[in-house]
Amino acid sequence: PAVPVTVIDTTICHGEIFTLHGITAGVSGTYRDTLQNIFGCDSIVEVSLVVRPAVPVTVIDTTICHGEIFTLHGITASVSGTYLDTLQNIFGCDSIVILNLTVNQQIDTVIFATITLGDTYTENGFNLSEAGTYHYTLQNIFGCDSIVTLHLETVTGIINRHLATIKIYPNPAKNELRIENAELKIGETVHIFDISGRAVETWHATSLQNGTATINVSRLPSGVYFLRIGDKTARFVKE
């Protein structure tokens, strides 16, 4: 009698090994093995094996604003970094997604200005004639919110308008805080106070790069702080 043939059609993913009886294979093809059945007679097993090709790694480069959360498949992230997730494609094989995430920090601008009583302050997008503290939200070059805080004072008589701008970022800060201030000079002293007004750090500007100074705030506990240069103050948060 004819030798019975058992035909098996199967698939595996790239990198896997198919094993059945005396057949071991990791490449697409047709494989045969001769076995003996319970009666001691030959029996043939024929395996038609298809190996699914390796799925290329998908790399995603994207940015979000500080405070936002990026979600994709099994990845949830809010901090700059590289993230990896393993998915299954339509064939049930592994597929790799690599996410390169950049979080754009919020840049706060603090402005101190003085005007003569009855005058109007019209710089930096404001149109104000009364003393007070004002906040203005705009979008920076990354499309993220940026907060401008104006401390406006009014005085009587003739004065020379004094405008000083302090930019501090990132805010909140983790390890380093950068300061941009037109009045900041080499040798200038920068004081940091906690929320209760207690001085916690004193820093002296020994070097500037393009008008920007960098302060190490990694030693500060998490909380709200005030940075003071001369008579100018800016608020920041330490993560």
Side-chain angles (χ1 to χ4, degrees):
V3 176
V5 178
T6 301
V7 178
I8 299 174
D9 296 311
T10 191
T11 60
I12 60 174
C13 298
H14 176 79
E16 294 181 344
I17 300 295
F18 176 84
T19 301
L20 179 67
H21 302 303
I23 300 174
T24 300
V27 179
S28 295
T30 300
Y31 301 85
R32 283 194 167 203
D33 190 24
T34 301
L35 313 174
Q36 280 194 335
N37 60 24
I38 59 175
F39 304 109
C41 301
D42 286 346
S43 174
I44 295 176
V45 174
E46 182 177 286
V47 177
S48 294
L49 178 65
V50 175
V51 179
R52 300 294 183 186
V55 177
V57 175
T58 301
V59 178
I60 300 173
D61 297 308
T62 191
T63 61
I64 60 174
C65 298
H66 177 80
E68 294 181 343
I69 296 176
F70 180 86
T71 302
L72 177 68
H73 303 303
I75 300 174
T76 299
S78 60
V79 178
S80 295
T82 299
Y83 301 85
L84 183 144
D85 192 24
T86 302
L87 313 175
Q88 280 196 332
N89 60 25
I90 58 175
F91 306 113
C93 300
D94 285 346
S95 175
I96 306 298
V97 174
I98 297 176
L99 168 67
N100 295 315
L101 179 65
T102 300
V103 178
N104 292 317
Q105 298 296 326
Q106 175 179 304
I107 299 177
D108 289 345
T109 301
V110 181
I111 301 171
F112 296 85
T114 304
I115 59 174
T116 305
L117 187 64
D119 199 358
T120 301
Y121 177 81
T122 58
E123 299 183 50
N124 300 287
F126 291 96
N127 187 11
L128 301 165
S129 57
E130 294 185 5
T133 298
Y134 302 90
H135 303 280
Y136 179 59
T137 301
L138 50 81
Q139 283 195 332
N140 58 27
I141 59 175
F142 304 111
C144 301
D145 283 348
S146 180
I147 308 299
V148 177
T149 300
L150 169 66
H151 299 281
L152 183 63
E153 296 181 9
T154 58
V155 297
T156 58
I158 300 175
I159 65 163
N160 292 321
R161 175 174 297 171
H162 176 70
L163 175 65
T165 301
I166 302 176
K167 291 184 180 179
I168 55 174
Y169 61 93
N171 192 4
K174 187 173 183 180
N175 295 314
E176 292 184 341
L177 182 68
R178 292 178 175 82
I179 306 172
E180 291 184 13
N181 176 241
E183 294 185 344
L184 186 60
K185 308 296 182 184
I186 297 295
E188 188 85 34
T189 300
V190 177
H191 300 280
I192 297 179
F193 301 86
D194 63 15
I195 193 69
S196 67
R198 180 175 60 91
V200 295
E201 194 82 42
T202 299
W203 179 85
H204 300 282
T206 57
S207 64
L208 298 175
Q209 294 184 350
N210 298 323
T212 301
T214 301
I215 296 180
N216 188 331
V217 295
S218 60
R219 294 177 298 180
L220 295 177
S222 298
V224 177
Y225 294 88
F226 295 92
L227 180 147
R228 191 170 184 83
I229 303 172
D231 61 350
K232 309 301 184 292
T233 304
R235 176 182 179 275
F236 72 94
V237 176
K238 168 63 169 61
E239 289 185 335

